[in-house]
Amino acid sequence: MTQLEFNFYSAEVVQETPDLRKGMDGKLLNGCFYERSTGDFVSYVQGRRHHVFDTGILQNDWMERTKRDRWIE
């Protein structure tokens, strides 16, 4: 097993709580959305990205409706 070296001085500081995603109305995201930037169908729970769906098991009509009505950047 090789040992990896880690440079603590060049590491980025990770915030303890990630930024919560909000919708256009300013409320925290809840539910399933289509992310245009990644091309994924994801669920959000109180503003946090919760689950990425496998498009192989989703129904085409649901995916088209979600792309049209519930998309985020």
Side-chain angles (χ1 to χ4, degrees), residues 7-46:
N7 186 349
F8 287 97
Y9 298 107
S10 66
E12 291 185 34
V13 176
V14 177
Q15 297 177 355
E16 291 181 15
T17 55
D19 292 337
L20 301 176
R21 295 277 313 252
K22 295 183 179 181
M24 299 290 262
D25 58 358
K27 295 181 181 179
L28 294 176
L29 290 180
N30 278 313
C32 296
F33 296 90
Y34 175 71
E35 277 185 339
R36 286 186 174 179
S37 59
T38 62
D40 292 331
F41 292 91
V42 297
S43 66
Y44 279 86
V45 177
Q46 294 189 353

Side-chain angles (χ1 to χ4, degrees), residues 53-65:
F53 293 97
D54 178 16
T55 56
I57 62 170
L58 299 176
Q59 296 179 353
N60 285 336
D61 60 337
W62 181 86
M63 288 192 296
E64 292 302 318
R65 191 172 56 247

